[in-house]
Amino acid sequence: MQDGNVEILQNKAKQQDGAAAMEMQPLKSAEGGDGEDKKKPNPHKKEKSVLQGKLTKLAVQIGKAGLLMSAVTVIILVLYFAIDTFVVQRRQWLPECTPIYIQYFVKFFIIGVTVLVVAVPEGLPLAVTISLAYSVKKMMKDNNLVRHLDACETMGNATAICSDKTGTLTTNRMTVVQAYIGDVLYKEIPDPDALPAKTLDCLVNAISINSAYTSKVLPAEQSGGLPRQVGNKTECGLLGFLLDLKQDYQTVRNLIPEEKLYKVYTFNSVRKSMSTVVKLGDGSFRLYSKGASEIILKKCSKILNGAGDPRLFKPRDRDEMVKKVIEPMASEGLRTICISYRDFSQSPEPDWENENEIVADLTCIAVVGIEDPVRPEVPEAIQKCQRAGITVRMVTGDNINTARAIAIKCGIIHPGEDFLCIDGKEFNRRIRNEKGEVEQERIDKLWPKLRVLARSSPTDKHTLVKGIIDSTQLEQRQVVAVTGDGTNDGPALKKADVGFAMGIAGTDVAKEASDIILTDDNFSSIVKAVMWGRNVYDSISKFLQFQLTVNVVAVIVAFTGACITQDSPLKAVQMLWVNLIMDTFASLALATEPPTESLLLRKPYGRNKPLISQTMMKNILGHGVYQLTLIFTLLFVGEEIFTIDSGRNAPLHSPPSEHYTIIFNTFVMMQLFNEINARKIHGERNVFDGIFRNPIFCIIVIGTFGIQIVIVQFGGKPFSCAPLELDQWMWCIFLGIGELVWGQVISSIPTSRLKFLKGAGRLTQKEEIPDEELNEDVEEIDHAERELRRGQILWFRGLNRIQTQIEVVNTFKSGASFQGALRRQSSTTSQNQDVTHISSPSHVSLSNALSSPTSTSAAGHPRREGIP
């Protein structure tokens, strides 16, 4: 008989484990995270960010071209020298001439290396790093704490945002504004004298006791300010309701402290309710329950009438209340909470473990409508997102009518639009097949029109995010940002391209799973993240536009000049100074441009748009033509224009010439003024717009000009410079300013007419990071994801194990069979844990719950903090 009891209990434990696993099934099926699969290699390679992929491709192309030009330059110089010296002039290679010839070959090699150094964009990684680091620092002031640098850039390409409602779109300051008590609907807080004494007393006890004792309403910090809400905001709203009724919840809590609570059924996202049992003075028990009104009302069989006495509450009465009370409240954007109670006799004591039977046959005390006002800045922020080509979706646990009303207030949907607002039950019905499996084809039919998902679980949120990301319905892959604050939001935050965790209301698990933390829990901060993300992309494009112009000109000048004159017009040290200007200084100047609102007036660039657009290519080639024309003019006829000695074909160790110094100085002046042109990449005419908002840019341009004066006037032989006269300086500056005028000419030419121009840096396929780079990272990512996915299952299993073991202990309080039963029970437990063992926060919570003396109720049942 006793062995039979053990077997029954073991079967019960397995069934409970199965139920818990089924409840969390979508998280497992979403990406297949079984403990047995933990050691298998990840079949999917990690995808590079869009900008990272484009830059890698472009840098490789430029590097190959630079290496080719460098090699050709050296080969031509060597062949030209050899043919001219040993064939044309018919000289012999004499031993005493060997050092001279070697110096010539070293000079040719140095020219080749210089061409390569100038051609290869080694400043590109620096520009990217500076831009990201600068953006991250500035985003802190905009309440965005960036945890992963690439998330900043990814946010610039976001096409969809799945946002929470409470605290993100709304102020998260809950206030009861309507109440249905004693068959009367009060549109404002009623006078306490107007309520039946029995009903008021029951209401005060139900709210005070059936709440986490950590939830409190404290006086305002400043006189005239609003009271401070500490803890769960919904419970604070209910406690504030008691204060408005001139009742003191703390008095009740002092009479029944937390350790005297007999049993607590904590809140979870499945049943959307919380219940607490207290033992009354006569030995009987009373259960207080609160939760989502449509769920709790289904469990109510009675309701308190106008005199404070219970009367029958039939299904017909419930339907009428839903129609006349709950729906009108929800349509005004109010969250409706039903407060109820139930009495139990002392004997026989109920089976407290059977929650479904305990939380039933309730008596409704009141239904309250809680308002969570929309943040005043949110409608404008959402409008900016929509204008920027970003679709905002609300994913909330609230009633569908409440969610729809808030979405209309926020501007997510507008009356008359053909968009979907559905709840979690309907969502699952539409996306799952007959076997209950999620089908991508079904999600693809749903998500483009979906704007509000109400009464959703964390599982639904994860499924939606995964479905949008995996969708191939549109040409461009959707880049999805997600907001979340709870532990259960971890998988969705991890799956999203960019996960935003709430800095104030968010749990540690949510923050760990996120890429960016919103320190003010405000949706408008997400819009600023979009601006900064797009600004990073544009800053890199500005830098590339400037650098490639310098690259093209410097390489062609060095190559052509070397081939014609046997020497580069720009010496090695001069080229390195130019390289410093266009790499380090330019990356600092152009990568620190602050964002503007105009960034939100265009659609996301997307994966297939080239990094260097046709407009940028037009600017690069246009300014290249201007600079090459001037440089070659100065090279071949400059000595006649300025009436100075020619610097061409100078002997090996000849002193610096004014001729080549003017060429070098003019080249640098053109780069300085072209740096101002490079600030605009979309064909804007006013290149000075907002220039003083970036002091770093101004300092670098002025500083570079000052250093150039020092190099030219005092550089001497190390920089191959001869001091210039004032009029020569004026001509160099004048030719440099001509870049600004020429820029206006280029802007006047329609890009659409230049059909021959092609973009560069296009990403046509997914760029992948090799497996060897990810060996360690994959394990870490997989472990973290599985930790989040399995945490809730382990929580259920852990509790079920404890409950079963307590029953075993109670069944076998004496006798040798107790040891055998417990051994068999422990064996079953360890086997199951071996299958799904993951080090999870749930283990820590469970052990704390067992070890803490204050976490166990008087009846020996585990006490968990719960919040609706």
Side-chain angles (χ1 to χ4, degrees):
M1 178 63 185
Q2 289 173 336
D3 288 344
N5 285 342
V6 174
E7 189 173 351
I8 291 170
L9 291 171
Q10 288 177 345
N11 290 337
K12 179 182 175 183
K14 290 178 182 178
Q15 289 169 1
Q16 288 172 332
D17 284 349
M22 283 298 291
E23 184 178 8
M24 296 298 291
Q25 174 89 26
L27 290 185
K28 173 184 168 186
S29 62
E31 284 191 281
D34 248 347
E36 295 171 353
D37 299 334
K38 184 179 165 187
K39 294 184 181 178
K40 291 181 181 179
N42 189 4
H44 303 291
K45 292 179 182 176
K46 185 181 179 183
E47 196 177 320
K48 287 184 179 179
S49 74
V50 176
L51 182 62
Q52 190 181 5
K54 289 179 179 178
L55 285 174
T56 301
K57 194 170 184 179
L58 185 66
V60 168
Q61 292 171 345
I62 296 173
K64 287 179 179 176
L67 185 62
L68 179 65
M69 289 292 288
S70 172
V72 170
T73 302
V74 174
I75 292 169
I76 289 176
L77 284 170
V78 171
L79 288 176
Y80 189 97
F81 175 79
I83 292 171
D84 181 62
T85 304
F86 302 116
V87 177
V88 176
Q89 299 182 22
R90 296 173 183 259
R91 292 183 180 178
Q92 297 293 323
W93 185 304
L94 300 175
E96 58 267 24
C97 294
T98 300
I100 303 297
Y101 294 149
I102 290 176
Q103 285 183 40
Y104 271 106
F105 290 139
V106 169
K107 177 185 173 183
F108 300 152
F109 180 74
I110 289 174
I111 291 172
V113 171
T114 305
V115 170
L116 179 62
V117 167
V118 173
V120 174
E122 64 271 14
L124 197 52
L126 178 65
V128 175
T129 305
I130 288 174
S131 183
L132 287 172
Y134 177 78
S135 299
V136 165
K137 180 183 175 184
K138 291 293 184 181
M139 285 172 74
M140 270 296 293
K141 295 181 180 177
D142 288 337
N143 302 306
N144 285 272
L145 174 59
V146 180
R147 299 183 65 248
H148 302 129
L149 271 180
D150 60 344
C152 175
E153 173 257 316
T154 306
M155 198 58 211
N157 279 307
T159 57
I161 299 174
C162 295
S163 174
D164 281 345
K165 178 185 78 70
T166 305
T168 310
L169 300 175
T170 58
T171 59
N172 198 19
R173 186 174 181 84
M174 303 292 189
T175 310
V176 174
V177 292
Q178 294 186 24
Y180 181 82
I181 305 174
D183 295 335
V184 179
L185 177 59
Y186 296 95
K187 291 285 187 179
E188 295 178 350
I189 302 299
D191 188 287
D193 297 330
L195 301 177
K198 288 187 286 185
T199 302
L200 184 60
D201 182 63
C202 198
L203 182 66
V204 171
N205 282 280
I207 293 176
S208 304
I209 295 169
N210 188 32
S211 299
Y213 277 35
T214 51
S215 298
K216 300 173 184 177
V217 179
L218 303 177
E221 291 180 339
Q222 298 176 349
S223 59
L226 294 171
R228 287 180 294 145
Q229 295 185 342
V230 179
N232 180 260
K233 301 300 181 181
T234 303
E235 292 181 347
C236 288
L238 293 172
L239 295 173
F241 178 49
L242 295 185
L243 297 178
D244 291 338
L245 292 173
K246 298 179 175 54
Q247 306 297 314
D248 184 14
Y249 65 87
Q250 195 57 50
T251 305
V252 178
R253 288 182 172 181
N254 291 340
L255 289 173
I256 306 178
E258 193 171 7
E259 54 269 17
K260 286 191 178 181
L261 299 180
Y262 197 78
K263 175 71 177 174
V264 173
Y265 302 98
T266 185
F267 175 87
N268 72 29
S269 58
V270 177
R271 62 172 179 264
K272 296 194 180 299
S273 65
M274 173 188 180
S275 304
T276 303
V277 180
V278 293
K279 193 169 187 178
L280 303 179
D282 59 0
S284 61
F285 302 97
R286 174 167 285 189
L287 169 105
Y288 293 109
S289 186
K290 71 169 184 289
S293 56
E294 62 265 37
I295 293 175
I296 296 294
L297 282 177
K298 288 178 182 176
K299 300 178 180 180
C300 289
S301 59
K302 297 173 187 172
I303 187 171
L304 296 182
N305 60 19
D309 299 320
R311 66 170 172 83
L312 281 179
F313 188 63
K314 299 177 181 177
R316 186 176 65 239
D317 299 327
R318 183 177 65 246
D319 295 340
E320 187 177 354
M321 180 184 278
V322 167
K323 191 178 295 183
K324 292 186 177 180
V325 177
I326 297 191
E327 287 183 357
M329 283 185 182
S331 64
E332 294 178 35
L334 304 183
R335 174 185 291 181
T336 54
I337 303 289
C338 180
I339 302 163
S340 58
Y341 76 97
R342 180 185 178 184
D343 288 325
F344 296 91
S345 60
Q346 182 177 3
S347 60
E349 184 171 338
D351 178 13
W352 300 115
E353 303 311 318
N354 193 340
E355 183 181 346
N356 289 332
E357 287 188 11
I358 296 296
V359 187
D361 195 23
L362 303 172
T363 301
C364 174
I365 304 170
V367 174
V368 296
I370 300 181
E371 182 183 44
D372 188 7
V374 173
R375 290 181 183 267
E377 64 273 20
V378 162
E380 183 185 358
I382 288 178
Q383 190 178 12
K384 287 179 181 178
C385 283
Q386 292 167 342
R387 199 165 53 226
I390 303 171
T391 303
V392 181
R393 294 177 175 84
M394 180 199 291
V395 183
T396 178
D398 272 354
N399 174 293
I400 181 70
N401 294 319
T402 305
R404 187 186 289 112
I406 295 293
I408 291 172
K409 288 181 182 178
C410 292
I412 293 175
I413 55 175
H414 299 93
E417 287 183 332
D418 185 25
F419 289 130
L420 285 176
C421 299
I422 59 176
D423 59 16
K425 192 177 292 184
E426 176 67 12
F427 174 72
N428 280 285
R429 188 186 66 78
R430 293 197 187 191
I431 66 170
R432 297 181 186 275
N433 58 20
E434 296 77 13
K435 298 178 182 177
E437 299 168 339
V438 177
E439 289 187 351
Q440 184 63 44
E441 297 78 16
R442 292 173 179 248
I443 296 180
D444 285 345
K445 293 177 183 177
L446 184 66
W447 72 259
K449 287 191 174 183
L450 181 65
R451 291 296 179 271
V452 176
L453 181 58
R455 282 285 177 249
S456 66
S457 66
T459 298
D460 297 333
K461 191 174 188 176
H462 178 272
T463 305
L464 175 64
V465 172
K466 183 178 184 299
I468 296 176
I469 290 175
D470 292 349
S471 175
T472 55
Q473 190 174 23
L474 301 180
E475 183 182 349
Q476 295 279 5
R477 181 179 86 75
Q478 293 287 297
V479 179
V480 183
V482 170
T483 68
D485 56 5
T487 301
N488 290 333
D489 289 326
L493 290 170
K494 203 77 173 171
K495 180 63 185 174
D497 294 288
V498 183
F500 286 88
M502 302 297 111
I504 300 171
T507 62
D508 288 342
V509 173
K511 291 175 185 176
E512 281 297 317
S514 68
D515 301 295
I516 299 175
I517 296 174
L518 298 178
T519 56
D520 63 346
D521 291 10
N522 195 339
F523 183 86
S524 63
S525 298
I526 299 177
V527 181
K528 292 173 184 172
V530 173
M531 281 176 57
W532 278 106
R534 294 187 174 188
N535 190 60
V536 166
Y537 199 101
D538 280 8
S539 295
I540 304 305
S541 297
K542 291 171 187 176
F543 171 74
L544 279 171
Q545 178 175 283
F546 173 71
Q547 188 184 46
L548 290 180
T549 305
V550 186
N551 274 10
V552 169
V553 175
V555 169
I556 293 176
V557 167
F559 174 75
T560 310
C563 293
I564 296 174
T565 67
Q566 285 292 289
D567 192 10
S568 173
L570 298 172
K571 308 303 179 187
V573 177
Q574 293 174 351
M575 291 278 260
L576 292 174
W577 165 237
V578 170
N579 200 46
L580 186 64
I581 294 173
M582 73 179 193
D583 275 354
T584 309
F585 291 164
S587 60
L588 269 170
L590 294 171
T592 53
E593 286 277 328
T596 60
E597 291 285 338
S598 61
L599 290 166
L600 296 175
L601 298 178
R602 63 168 173 81
K603 305 297 181 191
Y605 279 141
R607 173 170 293 278
N608 300 332
K609 185 176 176 64
L611 191 60
I612 300 174
S613 64
Q614 288 182 309
T615 303
M616 290 170 62
M617 192 64 77
K618 178 185 74 173
N619 292 337
I620 291 168
L621 296 179
H623 288 290
V625 168
Y626 174 83
Q627 293 181 18
L628 286 170
T629 303
L630 283 180
I631 293 295
F632 284 127
T633 302
L634 291 173
L635 178 61
F636 295 112
V637 295
E639 70 275 16
E640 297 176 10
I641 295 173
F642 290 98
T643 320
I644 53 177
D645 293 332
S646 173
R648 296 191 303 277
N649 301 316
L652 191 61
H653 295 294
S654 57
S657 67
E658 286 183 316
H659 183 198
Y660 274 22
T661 303
I662 289 174
I663 293 174
F664 165 59
N665 199 29
T666 302
F667 182 71
V668 171
M669 289 300 111
M670 288 191 293
Q671 306 319 318
L672 275 180
F673 287 99
N674 191 38
E675 196 166 351
I676 299 174
N677 282 326
R679 294 181 63 250
K680 304 298 176 184
I681 56 174
H682 298 297
E684 300 94 332
R685 284 189 172 276
N686 185 4
V687 293
F688 292 98
D689 180 38
I691 193 170
F692 295 113
R693 291 196 301 121
N694 186 6
I696 297 176
F697 182 90
C698 300
I699 291 169
I700 285 175
V701 170
I702 296 169
T704 305
F705 182 74
I707 296 172
Q708 179 67 15
I709 293 174
V710 173
I711 288 174
V712 170
Q713 295 302 115
F714 308 104
K717 196 166 184 178
F719 283 93
S720 302
C721 289
L724 300 180
E725 301 294 332
L726 182 61
D727 62 324
Q728 294 170 337
W729 264 103
M730 289 298 103
W731 274 108
C732 292
I733 294 172
F734 174 75
L735 295 174
I737 292 175
E739 273 285 1
L740 298 175
V741 180
W742 185 249
Q744 296 300 308
V745 174
I746 295 173
S747 297
S748 302
I749 303 172
T751 307
S752 56
R753 291 193 179 182
L754 305 175
K755 302 292 185 185
F756 63 91
L757 290 178
K758 302 292 182 184
R762 188 189 302 273
L763 200 64
T764 54
Q765 59 185 3
K766 289 186 178 180
E767 299 288 332
E768 293 173 337
I769 298 175
D771 283 335
E772 56 268 20
E773 293 181 25
L774 286 174
N775 284 345
E776 295 180 10
D777 199 34
V778 165
E779 284 299 311
E780 185 178 331
I781 292 170
D782 284 355
H783 179 78
E785 287 188 358
R786 287 190 175 85
E787 181 177 72
L788 290 164
R789 291 193 195 104
R790 305 294 293 178
Q792 194 165 352
I793 300 175
L794 291 170
W795 175 258
F796 285 120
R797 287 183 173 174
L799 286 177
N800 289 330
R801 297 269 181 265
I802 293 170
Q803 291 166 358
T804 307
Q805 287 170 357
I806 288 172
E807 291 180 26
V808 172
V809 171
N810 291 336
T811 306
F812 303 105
K813 285 189 177 178
S814 59
S817 60
F818 170 74
Q819 295 295 332
L822 197 56
R823 195 176 299 114
R824 283 190 289 273
Q825 178 66 19
S826 300
S827 173
T828 306
T829 302
S830 62
Q831 287 170 9
N832 286 332
Q833 287 177 339
D834 286 341
V835 174
T836 60
H837 176 68
I838 302 170
S839 179
S840 159
S842 305
H843 286 91
V844 180
S845 302
L846 198 57
S847 61
N848 288 344
L850 289 170
S851 61
S852 173
T854 59
S855 61
T856 308
S857 67
H861 299 295
R863 158 78 167 146
R864 292 179 288 160
E865 293 291 352
I867 51 176

